[in-house]
Amino acid sequence: DVKVTQSSRYLVKRTGEKVFLECVQDMDHENMFWYRQDPGLGLRLIYFSYDVKMKEKGDIPEGYSVSREKKERFSLILESASTNQTSMYLCASSLIGGSNQPQHFGDGTRLSIL
Amino acid sequence: GNSVTQMEGPVTLSEEAFLTINCTYTATGYPSLFWYVQYPGEGLQLLLKATKADDKGSNKGFEATYRKETTSFHLEKGSVQVSDSAVYFCALGPSGGGADGLTFGKGTHLIIQP
């Protein structure tokens, strides 16, 4: 089974801090994704990556950046955390190969910015 | 752009009732369609998928058929159990066949009462 591991289940940070969320997958997937999940809004794509050192903006990239230095690891960075970034963050990965490849999700990181 | 519309709920049913969760979509091309399930405190798990028109995806007693003519992918189960209580997400794969993220509906919260 594919395993996507997010480094923290719960995280509390302060406004203005630089925050790192880490994600590791163990199935040699080419594609990796970061979403945020908010009540009433569903999941929204922040960034994705289809290869090492490659990144593409999703629907809501403002205030975030990403890093993919190794194939198995995809990091989400909040450059200067703000209270409106309090949310559940979900990482996912998938094989390359088009629309019919399902994405496999981690358990999520619930981030609170105080 | 692509979009997914699903009933948000909560949907409350008694055990052994018949379940339908409606999902309709707008898309360019013919993307794959997915249903994901999220149990409390967990990430999303793939429930089933369909990759082309008239395909039926099925898993754990759940079924959904890719209807191109009505742009729908409704989720059904003949007899629900308390353990089916969760949030269900309908999702659309990228139309271009590339590595882009999924487009999700806002999720339907399902509550099954004994």
Side-chain angles (χ1 to χ4, degrees):
Chain A
D1 272 357
V2 176
K3 187 146 182 72
V4 179
T5 303
Q6 295 184 229
S7 54
S8 304
R9 292 297 301 273
Y10 301 94
L11 208 52
V12 180
K13 297 291 183 181
R14 296 210 173 272
T15 305
E17 280 191 70
K18 190 169 186 176
V19 180
F20 294 84
L21 302 183
E22 306 288 345
C23 175
V24 176
Q25 51 95 2
D26 66 357
M27 284 302 291
D28 204 35
H29 284 174
E30 292 85 2
N31 302 328
M32 295 189 75
F33 307 83
W34 276 105
Y35 295 87
R36 64 178 281 176
Q37 181 180 10
D38 299 287
L41 296 176
L43 278 77
R44 293 177 291 166
L45 181 66
I46 305 171
Y47 268 96
F48 65 98
S49 168
Y50 54 88
D51 201 353
V52 175
K53 297 192 186 294
M54 305 303 290
K55 61 184 179 183
E56 295 285 343
K57 293 179 179 179
D59 299 318
I60 52 164
E62 297 78 19
Y64 303 94
S65 63
V66 290
S67 172
R68 193 160 180 207
E69 296 296 319
K70 294 184 177 181
K71 190 175 185 180
E72 66 271 18
R73 185 179 297 270
F74 192 36
S75 302
L76 179 70
I77 303 155
L78 285 65
E79 297 291 344
S80 177
S82 64
T83 54
N84 63 10
Q85 292 178 310
T86 291
S87 187
M88 169 73 94
Y89 290 87
L90 291 166
C91 176
S93 70
S94 74
L95 285 168
I96 206 163
S99 165
N100 62 349
Q101 293 296 334
Q103 293 182 12
H104 301 268
F105 285 81
D107 284 338
T109 295
R110 188 166 293 282
L111 176 64
S112 296
I113 307 296
L114 304 178
Chain B
N2 292 353
S3 67
V4 176
T5 301
Q6 62 178 111
M7 52 203 297
E8 291 185 40
V11 173
T12 303
L13 295 172
S14 297
E15 205 165 19
E16 299 184 3
F18 184 86
L19 168 71
T20 301
I21 300 178
N22 290 338
C23 171
T24 57
Y25 66 89
T26 303
T28 54
Y30 302 103
S32 294
L33 298 171
F34 305 88
W35 276 101
Y36 282 84
V37 58
Q38 185 178 35
Y39 298 103
E42 298 183 11
L44 274 69
Q45 300 175 25
L46 178 67
L47 182 58
L48 52 84
K49 72 173 187 179
T51 58
K52 60 184 187 297
D54 300 324
D55 261 4
K56 179 187 280 188
S58 61
N59 186 25
K60 298 181 182 180
F62 291 90
E63 293 183 340
T65 302
Y66 191 157
R67 301 281 188 206
K68 189 176 70 173
E69 62 278 8
T70 54
T71 61
S72 65
F73 192 54
H74 303 323
L75 182 68
E76 296 182 335
K77 186 175 185 184
S79 176
V80 292
Q81 306 300 313
V82 172
S83 57
D84 293 326
S85 298
V87 181
Y88 292 80
F89 291 91
C90 183
L92 198 62
S95 292
D100 207 343
L102 299 174
T103 300
F104 285 89
K106 293 182 179 180
T108 300
H109 186 195
L110 176 65
I111 301 168
I112 307 300
Q113 296 177 333

